[in-house]
Amino acid sequence: MEQNLFDLTEKVAIVTGASRGLGQYQARALARAGADIVITSRKLESLQQIRAEVENMGRKVLPLELDVCKYDSIHKMVGDAYGFYGKIDILVNNAGCNIRKQAIDVTWDDWNKILDTNLRGSFFVAQQVAKKMIPVKTGRIINIGSVTSVFGYAGITPYCASRGGIKQMTMSLADDLGKYGITVNCLAPGWFKTEQSKLLFENKEWVEYLCDRIPLKRPGKPNDLDGTIVFLASDASEYVTGQTILVDGGISTGATRATV
């Protein structure tokens, strides 16, 4: 029988920040492909819905508390995940946050919260998971970036800095960990309606402007990420590492409304 390169049966995947938004969709996609799942959030009770959904798919699921701004919390989460399953095959570094302010209004604490969560937290989660992958010389680390990994936008300077950092961190980790058979890639979504962006999507004029700039003429739907997340987690991407893959409807082409 021909091997299904996208089959994740018997694989174990950690998805951080899985209590809502795109993190939930990532967990569902990996579970549908056959993986058993570790889901994390700062509050365990917020994981009840996605836990039930994954269990209904017939997969094992372990909810764990995680605050990516605290090193001890990261260390404990990875230890508990490894202790429960005995291995970690896939990490989806999804936990993140944003604060929308003009650059001149960003405070010292705003900057630290965003960079500590999105960039420092992602690095140290990846570091701890890599320590479990290195002895078996295989693994998939998927850092969630953004179209802001390659573009800059007003009003979210610290966020853009953190997501640009994710892109660079991904390349460096890929070089560091490649000799152990571990791939590290960045999945960079474009504009999707999430808790972080829902206020923007309430502005019809802004949505129209956005869609004008997207070649596919619509914002992303959560399931638009399913194929890419499974690809990067699977054997199909065995020779893909250090890459930032934009799933953005083409907005990164720089398209604008034609005037002629």
Side-chain angles (χ1 to χ4, degrees):
M1 182 179 294
E2 186 176 347
Q3 180 186 7
N4 178 359
L5 292 175
F6 300 92
D7 183 11
L8 300 181
T9 302
E10 298 184 357
K11 302 290 187 182
V12 173
I14 296 175
V15 181
T16 68
S19 63
R20 62 185 184 179
L22 299 182
Q24 285 195 352
Y25 282 88
Q26 293 156 9
R28 293 185 193 106
L30 296 173
R32 282 194 296 268
D36 295 321
I37 309 294
V38 178
I39 48 176
T40 82
S41 176
R42 285 177 297 173
K43 297 180 180 179
L44 280 178
E45 58 268 24
S46 68
L47 295 168
Q48 292 178 358
Q49 175 192 340
I50 187 62
R51 177 183 186 174
E53 290 184 38
V54 173
E55 287 177 338
N56 287 338
M57 296 179 195
R59 310 300 177 209
K60 295 178 183 176
V61 57
L62 176 66
L64 291 175
E65 186 176 299
L66 172 65
D67 183 342
V68 297
C69 293
K70 297 178 179 178
Y71 181 78
D72 288 346
S73 179
I74 294 171
H75 192 273
K76 183 177 188 305
M77 182 279 291
V78 174
D80 288 349
Y82 187 82
F84 185 82
Y85 285 113
K87 64 174 184 171
I88 301 168
D89 301 294
I90 301 154
L91 167 65
V92 181
N93 243 334
N94 174 72
C97 71
N98 193 12
I99 298 171
R100 296 184 181 277
K101 287 184 178 180
Q102 293 300 308
I104 60 172
D105 296 322
V106 172
T107 68
W108 186 274
D109 288 341
D110 292 336
W111 179 275
N112 286 344
K113 179 177 181 179
I114 296 168
L115 272 292
D116 288 355
T117 302
N118 298 355
L119 187 54
R120 187 180 69 177
S122 291
F123 172 78
F124 283 101
V125 173
Q127 179 196 68
Q128 291 303 308
V129 169
K131 289 179 180 180
K132 304 301 184 184
M133 294 175 169
I134 286 171
V136 294
K137 295 191 179 300
T138 187
R140 302 282 182 267
I141 295 175
I142 305 164
N143 297 317
I144 302 301
S146 160
V147 69
T148 59
S149 294
V150 296
F151 273 13
Y153 290 98
I156 51 172
T157 297
Y159 184 82
C160 292
S162 72
R163 294 312 187 192
I166 286 288
K167 179 179 181 291
Q168 297 299 116
M169 183 186 81
T170 294
M171 291 189 287
S172 183
L173 285 176
D175 196 19
D176 245 335
L177 300 176
K179 59 182 174 287
Y180 303 111
I182 300 168
T183 65
V184 188
N185 290 290
C186 173
L187 171 56
W191 287 97
F192 288 72
K193 185 178 179 180
T194 64
E195 285 297 312
Q196 289 184 13
S197 64
K198 66 180 182 180
L199 287 177
L200 293 173
F201 280 88
E202 291 174 3
N203 184 331
K204 292 182 180 179
E205 290 183 358
W206 180 85
V207 173
E208 181 182 351
Y209 166 76
L210 176 68
C211 291
D212 279 342
R213 298 184 62 205
I214 298 173
L216 294 182
K217 300 305 176 188
R218 65 170 176 84
K221 299 174 183 177
N223 289 116
D224 287 333
L225 299 173
D226 289 3
T228 309
I229 199 79
V230 171
F231 167 69
L232 291 175
S234 72
D235 290 344
S237 63
E238 185 175 11
Y239 200 58
V240 178
T241 196
Q243 303 306 304
T244 294
I245 299 179
L246 287 138
V247 182
D248 66 354
I251 196 171
S252 52
T253 63
T256 57
R257 176 185 288 175
T259 57
V260 294

